[in-house]
Amino acid sequence: MTDLARSLSISAVVDGAGLSHQTFHNTYPGNSRSGGSGGKEAFVADLLDNLTVNYTGTTPIDPPAGLRDAAAPVSALFEDLTSGLMRRRLVATLLASDHDGARKAVTPEFERLDADLRTMVGRAIQAQGGSVRRPLSLTSLSTALGALLDGYALREMLTPGSVATSEVAEAVTSILRWAVDPVHSDRNSTEPDPVDVLDDAASLRPDLEADVIAATEALFLDNGYFLVTLADIAAAAKIRVEDLRRLFPSKVDIIVAALKPEFDRVLRLRRADERLGVEPAIALQRTLIAVGEFVIDNRAMSTGMLLALSFEQFQQPSTITTVMENLYLPAAVVPILERGRETGVFSDEAPTIEAAVMLTNNVLFRCLTRPTESAIDVADGVLRLLMPGISTRTP
């Protein structure tokens, strides 16, 4: 701070701000030369305490259809770095290296960029329907890509034109292609790394349940559903296991908490179509697309839901009850099928619930096993195969 104060010209500051010297000295009275703490050094201390990198965040995009699409937002972040963000990060790092106030001021922005990059990488992994290949984890992979971007951006700053955005995209695509294990072939159970658990103040976090859900989703991405324990989740969310059990007695309860608001949206859209009198065949297509979007946008949790239903029903029968009461996908289309049968659009050769289960199960499986297909592609494919057995006439 002393070096910065010595090198800073107050005349340049007030001229740049369009102020007078008197205004500056009224705001920061005193003179540090006489042994006080006012004047220029008080201004510098205030400046460092309010230091900012001006990181504005990344623009949300649709889920990537492939690894090349996944590399696009990373390439955009590289362009942000080379256009000035990298220079600001370097300056902030230098100023914050020996000043607690500056460090506290810029740390949230640094953490936000890391979180955004982690989200980008996580969405790419979800789009492939796989998990991170050992010995990497989602965090270590995103950290490696972040370091790669920083290095590329620094080189481009020093030697403009040496790194093209397309080269960054190719490098990221190659790394993701190696790092994503599409069939979870190398999963080996390991003990969670020791993590310092926060004190009682942790329970006062603004949204502790959301923190648990985010930690669970990241762990599912890294390890798959079966190898994640409540102890792993508690460690990742930095709460005690007993506190986690009070919030969520099981992994299934976490999945339900994460997915229910999203599934409620599917039901709300279907009810709106019903009130507006949308023709049953069109309403069915729209609802299946909404179900597909629900699965694709929540791929890790949806995979966990499917695995829980498939395997844990024998160990914990209550699993079936919990999921059925909150996330029963066929419930989204049963009213549409019933309305279509009443109007003669759909046949009644099979029980309504059986037809609903067949439709939604096929959407669920196809979304999870064909990560390059959009929700529209999935719905169209399912209806192309199953609609002849449901309709009494071509819709």
Side-chain angles (χ1 to χ4, degrees):
M1 186 178 77
T2 301
D3 292 339
L4 180 60
R6 288 173 179 171
S7 62
L8 187 67
S9 167
I10 295 302
S11 296
V13 171
V14 296
D15 290 345
L19 302 173
S20 66
H21 281 73
Q22 188 60 50
T23 299
F24 175 84
H25 290 296
N26 287 341
T27 306
Y28 297 98
N31 189 338
S32 58
R33 294 179 181 176
S34 61
S37 58
K40 185 193 290 187
E41 291 210 358
F43 167 69
V44 170
D46 195 14
L47 176 67
L48 291 176
D49 286 343
N50 293 277
L51 192 64
T52 178
V53 182
N54 287 324
Y55 172 62
T56 57
T58 57
T59 303
I61 61 171
D62 294 331
L67 292 178
R68 289 188 179 276
D69 289 341
V74 180
S75 300
L77 180 56
F78 169 74
E79 293 177 350
D80 288 344
L81 288 169
T82 54
S83 65
L85 177 58
M86 187 64 195
R87 181 174 283 104
R88 298 194 299 272
R89 279 165 59 85
L90 289 173
V91 171
T93 299
L94 291 173
L95 295 177
S97 61
D98 59 358
H99 190 276
D100 289 340
R103 186 180 303 112
K104 291 178 180 178
V106 298
T107 292
E109 290 183 276
F110 276 72
E111 291 179 344
R112 184 183 174 197
L113 190 147
D114 291 342
D116 285 348
L117 183 59
R118 179 188 173 98
T119 298
M120 294 178 196
V121 177
R123 287 165 68 89
I125 295 168
Q126 286 191 27
Q128 300 308 301
S131 55
V132 182
R133 195 180 300 278
R134 294 291 190 186
L136 292 174
S137 67
L138 176 58
T139 298
S140 63
L141 175 58
S142 61
T143 298
L145 288 175
L148 178 70
L149 285 181
D150 285 341
Y152 272 146
L154 184 59
R155 177 177 288 272
E156 177 64 15
M157 283 175 52
L158 297 175
T159 54
S162 61
V163 181
T165 302
S166 59
E167 294 175 350
V168 176
E170 289 297 330
V172 172
T173 300
S174 298
I175 292 173
L176 288 176
R177 185 174 291 117
W178 172 84
V180 176
D181 176 14
V183 294
H184 312 282
S185 60
D186 61 353
R187 298 276 69 85
N188 293 307
S189 181
T190 57
E191 291 295 323
D193 294 330
V195 177
D196 292 334
V197 176
L198 299 183
D199 56 22
D200 291 338
S203 61
L204 302 178
R205 278 185 267 175
D207 194 341
L208 185 55
E209 289 189 349
D211 293 344
V212 170
I213 290 171
T216 303
E217 184 171 13
L219 288 169
F220 282 175
L221 283 170
D222 284 349
N223 306 294
Y225 171 80
F226 288 114
L227 295 183
V228 174
T229 66
L230 286 181
D232 298 325
I233 295 169
K238 295 186 177 181
I239 64 172
R240 289 182 286 263
V241 175
E242 54 269 28
D243 290 335
L244 174 60
R245 290 186 183 278
R246 293 189 184 98
L247 292 174
F248 302 108
S250 71
K251 291 186 293 183
V252 170
D253 292 295
I254 301 175
I255 292 172
V256 168
L259 294 182
K260 192 175 188 307
E262 304 297 326
F263 184 57
D264 286 346
R265 174 181 177 273
V266 176
L267 299 178
R268 176 174 58 79
L269 294 176
R270 187 262 298 160
R271 288 193 294 267
D273 282 351
E274 186 175 348
R275 288 193 295 270
L276 293 172
V278 176
E279 199 272 329
I282 296 176
L284 179 62
Q285 181 184 40
R286 285 165 54 84
T287 298
L288 291 181
I289 291 173
V291 171
E293 291 172 343
F294 158 74
V295 175
I296 291 171
D297 292 345
N298 303 278
R299 195 182 298 274
M301 289 295 189
S302 296
T303 301
M305 175 186 70
L306 178 61
L307 293 174
L309 285 173
S310 301
F311 297 99
E312 291 201 356
Q313 58 178 310
F314 304 109
Q315 302 295 328
Q316 297 181 352
S318 60
T319 294
I320 297 294
T321 303
T322 301
V323 174
M324 292 296 186
E325 288 179 349
N326 296 278
L327 302 170
Y328 190 49
L329 300 188
V333 299
V334 164
I336 301 174
L337 295 177
E338 291 177 342
R339 186 159 56 94
R341 291 184 176 190
E342 292 173 358
T343 57
V345 176
F346 299 148
S347 69
D348 56 1
E349 294 182 3
T352 302
I353 190 61
E354 184 177 323
V357 168
M358 188 171 295
L359 285 166
T360 54
N361 278 359
N362 274 274
V363 169
L364 173 62
F365 285 121
R366 189 157 181 155
C367 285
L368 295 179
T369 57
R370 300 194 182 189
T372 60
E373 291 190 0
S374 68
I376 294 176
D377 295 333
V378 169
D380 287 346
V382 170
L383 288 173
R384 187 168 57 251
L385 293 174
L386 299 183
M387 185 58 83
I390 293 175
S391 299
T392 56
R393 57 180 173 82
T394 303

